[in-house]
Structure formats: C-alpha cells, structure tokens
C-alpha cells in the first residue's frame, strides 16, 4: 500500500469534514479518516471549494462585493427606496469597510485555488496534467474579475513561496498571462474527455463542467475571446487581434448544453456559500432595509421591446395608494415640487397605469395610486437620500422569487453564471462587426443566435423568442458601427443579469447602456458620490493592500493613476 505525506492526510481530512456528503468517498473518509489510502485520495476533492467560493462566496463578500458594488455598478439593482437602509449613492461614495470586504475577498480567494494547482502540478501529490489544465482555466476566470475590479494586482509573482511581497502587474501583462495559460490548458486537454478514471475523474465534484474536458476547452477558448476583445484597442495593445483570430479556429461554447452555470448548494450555510436570499430574507424580505429594486435601465430595455426575459427577471410593481406631504421648511421643502414632478415623470415615461391627485406646485400633499401587480417600472439608479421618502418600493419592480427564495424551499435555485453560450455568440458578432482579421461568420446571424441562446437559458418560450427576433432591436444587419455595438453591448449586458462584475465591465468597455455610462449630474435628485456623478471605473484598493505590500502598491498606482473610483483602467481607455 502506498503511503502519503502527513500534510496530505491533513488536507484530505479537512476537506472531507467540510464537504461531507458530496460523494460516497467523502462519506467513507469522513467516517473513518484512518482508512484513507493513497489510492482513495484525489485532487478532485479540492476543486469544489474554490469553484463555489469564486461565484457564490459566503454572506460577507456576497453582499458587499457582489450586491452592494458589482450588481449596482452594473446597473442591475438599486437601493434608495423608502424601505432601504441606504440611499442609492452607497458605494458610489467610497465606503472603507465595504471596499475592504471586496479586496479581502479577492485577495483571500487565491490560496484555495493555488492549493489545488500545486497539488495537481508536475511533482505535486496528486499530479494530473488535465486537472492542472482545469486549474489554469479557473485561474483565468479569477484573475480576469480581480484585475477588472481594481486594475493592477499581484499576478506573476503571486503564490511564489520565495517572494513575500509580490509585485503588481500591469493589466496588459495580466491579460497576456491569462491568454498564455488558456492556450496551455487547451493544448494539454487536446482530445481528452475526462481527467482520469475512478478517483482521478473530476466528475460531479466539478461544479462547472461535471468533469467534461471538452466543455472546459470551449470555456477556455470563449474566455480567451472575451479577454482579447476586452483588450482590443487599449493603449499599446499588441496581442488582442491575433488572439481573437485564433479563437475562431477552435471550438467555442455553442449549444444550450454548453452554458457554464454553477448549481447552488441548497443546504450549505450562508456563512459558507450565500445567495441573494441571504440579504433579501434575513432582514425581513420585501419590506426590509436589506431589500432592493431592479433598475430603470434594465426594465426599460426589457419592457419597451416586449422582451420575454422581463417576467423571468422581475415581478411587476406591487402598487398601492400613498400620500406624500411637503416638508415644513428647508431645502427639502423648496425642492419637494421638483422631486414629486420627477417621480411623476418616471412613472409616466414607463407607461405606468397610475393616478395622482393634488398639484405639487400648489398643494402641500399629493396622493399616488397604482393598481397592484400590473406595472413594470424600474427605479432610476443613484438616487440621493433626500428623495428617498417619495421612492416607494411598491412603485417599482423587484426580483422574482427565483432569485431570492430561501435555500431548502425549492430545488430550483437560480444558478450562478460562469460563462454562457449567448456571450460566445455576441463576442463573435462583435469581432466580425469590428472587422478583425480572422473573425468569420454573419454578424447578424451570430447576434440573433446569441439572443436566442440567452432567452433559452433564461427559460423563455420558443414562440416568444421568435417574435422578439423580428424586431429592429434584434437586428444588426444594418446601421453604423456605433449602432451595432450598442445593440451588442446591451444584449450582453442583459444576458449577464446577476453577474454584476461582467455587466459592469461591459458598460466600461463599450459604453452601453449609455444611460449608465453617462453618470448623473443633478444633485437635487441624484447622489453624486465621491466621483462627482461620473461612472465608476474601478474600486479603490483595500486597506490591507497598503498595510501588507505598500511599496509595490504605490508603484502600481504611480503607473495606473490615482487610487480613485473614476480612474480608468487600461482596458477601458480609448
């Protein structure tokens, strides 16, 4: 019988205790750790945690990194209604602890993935070239999100045990490194279909692709195309066009079954892996301070074109009758007519069925009545705290129960988006529209297939999809380059709903939806934040970055620009 190093036994015991019940092997190991032999041990037990921790971490970062920052910078969700604890200026105004939570999440994640890669690397305890290739692809997913959130970060020297204070790499260097890793992974995978037999098969321990190496290969190539187009046209870019061309020569995600979606665990504690329900339900659900609405930009882009994803994403406004009274004095009294008029216009432009009695320019009170569960109205983003009393949650759409249902209440929990087939088609269409050498295919057909795949993924009926595709909004057969890119960007943005980090990156790179990218200017209505109403281009570094590795961080800031949220990152510079 083979023997294992003592620390390998410790690793297995720790993982078995944390993930007991995932497989029969885990149950056996958890019952009798002394029964472990080298034949039973496998790196497959080390992949599950870094996978779910990247897209569904515990409550602390899920709320602060995903919901408070990324999902709102992306323009998907809004705070600032009458129930909310915050105005929608939150996060647009720098918040130290919420920013630190995001930085600490990313920085702290690396060790989990690095452990898997060291175990499967040449000479590792569980050396397996195919598992290592999977690790390289996961590393690409992780570093793409990390660098696009903050900019320059430790990359090439990260994880080197001989380097205590790793240097920060430029974003261009990080993108090049990711693409090199993806190329290496795809070459290693070749025609292989699984990582091995028995305990050497990732199988269902792999939450992304269920051990299907050819799906991993498609994922890698699609991620490569995403990153190449993100870099395309940035200052000094000398690699993106060639990378785009290479992607068209290899398989990409192409079918409904190719969607890389992570099924969420239905029983694990939110302090291990959370969902939107962790924020929505824990403080009282619909009427709680932790609740939120869906943005005007999203609802407008769905409702105005009879998009069948509308009812998959949101519930209609609850409605009701509400009387608002003018403040007795001060600036809120002076601005009350303007703010009431603003609310009236938001509801009117949305085509809402409502009535208003009273005239805000004459009367000291007005009453709004909206029928229940009929209107699809989105809340404007970035509203300030002074208009908050007028912004009744009942006037606006909220997420469907699919996104905020409690764990254990249903087997149909929403899945976390890793990378979708729809995006693969949108990326191909963009490359063709831009005229990049080697990008082939009919741009409009690719665009429409992207829409179809997105709607299928979100559960829309075939007939509704066909009807939608007949509209001009679903065609890029004609129009200027800017018009085509706007349609492409908007569909990519809609498709990424709930994956705020990607939706935010789309807006920064392509400038659409324009209503988001333009920022806000009217301080009577909106919260301008610490970036004076501009669109956030990045997050500031966490305080841990300064305290642990300040010299290297300051060198990065000197290259990149001020550590402010409106400092453009390399990929989004013209």
């Amino acid at each position: 019988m083979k023997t294992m190093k003592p620390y390998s036994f410790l690793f297995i015991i720790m993982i078995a205790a944390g993930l007991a019940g995932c497989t029969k092997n885990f149950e056996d190991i958890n019952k009798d750790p002394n029964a472990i032999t080298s034949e039973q041990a496998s790196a497959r037990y080390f992949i599950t945690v870094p996978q779910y921790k990247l897209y569904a971490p515990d409550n602390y970062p899920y709320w602060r990194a995903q919901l408070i920052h990324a999902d709102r910078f992306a323009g998907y969700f809004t705070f600032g209604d009458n129930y909310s604890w915050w105005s929608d200026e939150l996060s647009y105004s720098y918040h130290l602890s919420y920013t630190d939570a995001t930085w600490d999440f990313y920085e702290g994640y690396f060790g989990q993935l690095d452990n898997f890669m060291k175990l499967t690397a040449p000479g590792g305890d569980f050396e397996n070239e195919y598992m290592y290739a999977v690790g390289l692809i996961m590393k690409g997913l992780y570093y793409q999100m990390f660098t696009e959130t903050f900019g320059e970060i430790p990359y090439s020297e990260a994880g080197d045990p001989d380097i205590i204070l790793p240097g920060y790499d430029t974003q261009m260097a990080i993108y090049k490194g990711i693409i090199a890793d993806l190329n290496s992974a795809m070459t290693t995978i070749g025609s292989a279909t699984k990582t091995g037999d028995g305990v050497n098969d990732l199988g269902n321990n792999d939450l992304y692709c269920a051990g299907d190496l050819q799906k991993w290969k498609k994922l890698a190539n699609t991620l490569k195309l995403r990153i190449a187009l993100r870099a395309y046209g940035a200052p000094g870019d000398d690699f993106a066009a060639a990378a785009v061309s290479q992607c068209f020569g290899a398989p990409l995600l192409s079918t409904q079954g190719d969607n890389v979606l992570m099924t969420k665990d239905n029983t694990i504690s939110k302090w291990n892996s959370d969902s939107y329900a962790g924020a929505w339900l824990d403080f009282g659900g619909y009427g709680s301070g932790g609740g939120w609405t869906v943005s005007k930009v999203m609802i407008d882009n769905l409702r105005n074109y009879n998009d069948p994803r509308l009812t998959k994403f949101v519930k209609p406004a609850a409605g009701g009758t509400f009387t608002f009274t003018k403040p007795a004095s001060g600036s809120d009294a002076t601005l009350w007519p303007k703010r009431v008029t603003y609310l009236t216009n938001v509801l009117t432009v949305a085509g809402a069925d409502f009535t208003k009695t009273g005239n805000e320019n004459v009367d000291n009170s007005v009453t709004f009545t909206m029928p229940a569960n009929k209107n699809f109205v989105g809340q404007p983003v970035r509203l300030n705290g002074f208009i908050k009393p007028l912004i009744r949650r009942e006037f606006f759409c909220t997420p469907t129960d699919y996104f905020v249902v409690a764990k254990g209440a249903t087997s149909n929990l929403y899945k976390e988006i890793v990378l979708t087939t729809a995006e693969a088609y949108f990326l191909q269409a963009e490359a063709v529209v831009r005229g990049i050498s080697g990008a082939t295919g009919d741009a409009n057909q690719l665009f429409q297939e992207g829409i179809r795949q997105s709607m299928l993924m979100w559960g829309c009926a075939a007939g509704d999809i066909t009807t939608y595709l007949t509209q001009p909004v679903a065609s890029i057969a004609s129009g200027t380059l800017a018009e085509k890119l706007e349609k492409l960007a908007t569909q990519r943005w809609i498709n990424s709903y709930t994956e705020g980090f990607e939706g935010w990156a789309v807006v920064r790179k392509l400038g659409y939806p324009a209503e988001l990218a333009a920022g806000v200017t009217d301080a009577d209505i909106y919260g301008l934040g610490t970036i004076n109403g501009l669109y956030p281009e990045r997050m500031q570094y966490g305080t841990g970055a300064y305290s642990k590795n300040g010299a290297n961080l300051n060198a990065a800031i000197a290259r990149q620009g001020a550590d402010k949220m409106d400092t453009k990152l390399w990929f989004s510079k013209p």
Side-chain angles (χ1 to χ4, degrees):
M1 181 175 71
K2 295 180 182 178
T3 59
M4 294 174 62
K5 298 177 183 178
Y7 69 83
S8 296
F9 274 111
L10 178 60
F11 284 158
I12 293 293
I13 293 168
M14 290 170 64
I15 295 297
L19 295 178
C22 290
T23 66
K24 185 178 185 301
N25 284 24
F26 261 87
E27 293 169 358
D28 292 342
I29 290 171
N30 200 40
K31 290 175 184 176
D32 186 7
N34 294 322
I36 299 172
T37 66
S38 58
E39 286 77 14
Q40 292 173 304
S42 169
R44 75 177 183 176
Y45 301 127
F46 295 85
I47 193 172
T48 307
V49 172
Q51 284 189 332
Y52 76 71
K53 285 292 188 182
L54 185 57
Y55 289 95
D58 65 80
N59 176 268
Y60 200 78
Y62 202 98
W63 196 356
R64 292 156 180 81
Q66 273 88 333
L67 178 57
I68 288 178
H69 283 104
D71 288 338
R72 292 178 52 255
F73 286 171
Y76 294 149
F77 301 139
T78 47
F79 296 152
D81 62 73
N82 67 297
Y83 294 111
S84 181
W85 288 322
W86 310 286
S87 78
D88 207 42
E89 190 174 11
L90 179 73
S91 72
Y92 295 95
S93 288
Y94 169 73
H95 192 291
L96 186 147
S97 66
Y98 294 161
T99 298
D100 279 357
T102 307
W103 173 264
D104 293 345
F105 158 61
Y106 276 121
E107 185 184 47
Y109 170 83
F110 176 74
Q112 300 168 83
L113 177 59
D114 189 51
N115 181 48
F116 173 76
M117 297 188 68
K118 282 183 166 66
L119 288 170
T120 57
D125 282 344
F126 303 120
E127 179 179 345
N128 183 308
E129 63 176 339
Y130 298 123
M131 290 189 187
Y132 186 75
V134 167
L136 287 175
I137 300 167
M138 288 177 57
K139 180 182 174 184
L141 290 165
Y142 159 61
Y143 272 110
Q144 181 230 324
M145 286 196 289
F146 195 0
T147 186
E148 289 176 3
T149 301
F150 295 97
E152 294 195 16
I153 51 173
Y155 173 74
S156 60
E157 296 179 350
D160 187 330
D162 296 323
I163 299 177
I164 299 175
L165 299 175
Y168 281 58
D169 294 82
T170 66
Q171 193 164 73
M172 182 164 69
I174 294 168
Y175 281 162
K176 286 183 174 181
I178 294 173
I179 288 176
D181 281 347
L182 295 174
N183 287 339
S184 176
M186 289 187 284
T187 298
T188 296
I189 291 171
S191 60
T193 57
K194 59 182 181 178
T195 55
D197 296 318
V199 295
N200 292 315
D201 180 7
L202 284 178
N204 289 332
N205 291 71
D206 170 13
L207 302 179
Y208 295 176
C209 300
D212 182 346
L213 285 183
Q214 290 306 301
K215 187 171 181 178
W216 273 107
K217 191 174 180 179
K218 292 179 184 179
L219 167 58
N221 197 39
T222 305
L223 178 61
K224 176 180 174 180
L225 182 56
R226 173 198 275 180
I227 291 171
L229 282 171
R230 194 86 89 222
Y232 184 75
D237 161 40
D238 59 0
F239 67 96
V244 168
S245 180
Q246 293 163 11
C247 291
F248 277 77
L252 296 152
L253 301 174
S254 61
T255 68
Q256 192 174 358
D258 283 344
N259 284 308
V260 185
L261 308 171
M262 191 187 81
T263 299
K264 299 177 74 66
D265 189 291
N266 205 12
T267 59
I268 196 170
S269 165
K270 71 172 184 176
W271 299 113
N272 198 333
S273 177
D274 205 6
S275 66
Y276 286 127
W280 183 270
L281 296 178
D282 284 4
F283 299 100
Y286 180 88
S288 73
W292 61 90
T293 60
V294 179
S295 79
K296 174 183 181 296
V297 187
M298 176 59 76
I299 301 303
D300 287 354
N301 276 286
L302 298 175
R303 182 200 60 239
N304 292 351
Y305 302 102
N306 297 312
D307 192 316
R309 288 169 291 194
L310 176 64
T311 55
K312 304 299 180 181
F313 288 3
V314 302
K315 292 179 177 180
T321 297
F322 305 96
T323 297
F324 304 107
T325 301
K326 183 178 181 178
S329 61
S331 60
D332 285 341
T334 302
L335 292 171
W336 189 76
K338 177 180 180 177
R339 290 169 178 159
V340 173
T341 299
Y342 174 83
L343 172 62
T344 305
N345 289 339
V346 167
L347 300 178
T348 301
V349 171
D353 178 7
F354 76 102
T355 59
K356 184 179 76 172
T357 57
N359 183 333
E360 60 269 26
N361 295 305
V362 177
D363 301 322
N364 288 326
S365 67
V366 293
T367 298
F368 286 76
T369 298
M370 177 185 283
N373 304 316
K374 178 179 180 181
N375 293 292
F376 287 92
V377 184
Q379 181 182 316
V381 300
R382 303 178 70 168
L383 296 178
N384 65 33
F386 303 108
I387 198 172
K388 200 165 175 276
L390 297 171
I391 307 302
R392 296 290 313 193
R393 187 171 293 174
E394 291 88 350
F395 292 157
F396 303 103
C397 292
T398 52
T400 61
D401 291 343
Y402 177 63
F403 297 104
V404 295
V405 66
K407 286 184 177 183
T410 177
S411 60
N412 188 33
L413 285 176
Y414 72 95
K415 294 178 172 62
E416 298 285 354
I417 293 173
V418 179
L419 199 55
T420 68
T421 295
E423 183 174 348
Y425 283 106
F426 294 141
L427 292 168
Q428 291 173 78
E430 180 186 340
V432 173
V433 163
R434 291 188 181 278
I436 298 174
S437 178
T440 58
D442 182 280
N444 191 54
Q445 290 179 6
L446 292 166
F447 177 58
Q448 293 203 324
E449 183 61 20
I451 296 173
R452 192 177 77 86
Q453 289 291 338
S454 176
M455 292 183 173
L456 287 171
M457 181 184 77
W458 286 111
C460 300
D464 292 337
I465 298 172
T466 299
T467 299
Y468 182 87
L469 290 174
T470 63
Q471 300 180 88
V473 71
S475 174
I476 56 170
S478 61
T480 64
L481 175 61
E483 289 169 342
K484 293 176 181 179
L485 289 176
E486 179 176 7
K487 290 179 180 180
L488 279 161
T490 302
Q491 289 294 337
R492 276 186 66 189
W493 175 78
I494 293 171
N495 179 67
S496 295
Y497 181 66
T498 69
E499 179 37 47
F501 288 107
E502 183 58 24
W504 178 28
V506 168
V507 180
R508 287 178 287 166
K509 177 64 179 182
L510 297 174
Y512 302 105
E515 185 175 343
L516 293 172
V520 294
T521 57
D522 188 348
D524 294 341
I525 304 295
Y526 304 103
L528 305 187
T530 52
I531 50 177
N532 198 31
L534 296 174
Y535 189 69
E537 297 288 342
R538 59 182 292 275
M539 289 183 64
Q540 293 181 213
Y541 291 111
T543 55
Y546 285 93
S547 63
K548 297 175 185 177
N549 195 3
N552 284 321
L553 173 59
N554 286 326
I557 292 170
R559 289 188 299 268
Q560 179 171 274
D563 186 16
K564 301 295 183 183
M565 289 191 292
D566 59 339
T567 295
K568 279 186 174 289
L569 299 181
W570 176 78
F571 81 84
S572 63
K573 291 180 179 178

